[in-house]
Amino acid sequence: MQLGTRWTSGDEPPKSVPAALRSGIEAVDATIPDDQLGQPRPRWTLTWLEGKPIAELDTGIIVSLDENGEAVARNDPEDGFG
């Protein structure tokens, strides 16, 4: 696995985030409510597994590409929320 980069949800993803993942990331970010108490938003981590990009949110949500190259979001089964 190759480590990519990190950024805060709701912020513009770094240029290193592939365009194909951006729609999935933006869709997930749109579901995260603003915290009225001022808590920080979760952060994304971009990694590469077997040459394929994967974006994982601190909450355990993962955005990856399906076999057609479309962004799909899912919960990490090991995070205890799935």
Side-chain angles (χ1 to χ4, degrees), residues 23-74:
S23 63
I25 291 167
E26 290 169 1
V28 171
D29 281 348
T31 68
I32 300 172
D34 289 333
D35 188 323
Q36 301 302 316
L37 300 175
Q39 296 296 309
R41 291 182 63 93
R43 293 180 50 84
W44 288 99
T45 301
L46 174 69
T47 56
W48 298 83
L49 182 60
E50 297 178 2
K52 297 179 183 178
I54 299 171
E56 183 170 2
L57 195 58
D58 289 342
T59 62
I61 296 175
I62 295 172
V63 177
S64 59
L65 300 178
D66 66 12
E67 59 277 351
N68 297 320
E70 300 292 323
V72 292
R74 62 182 171 83

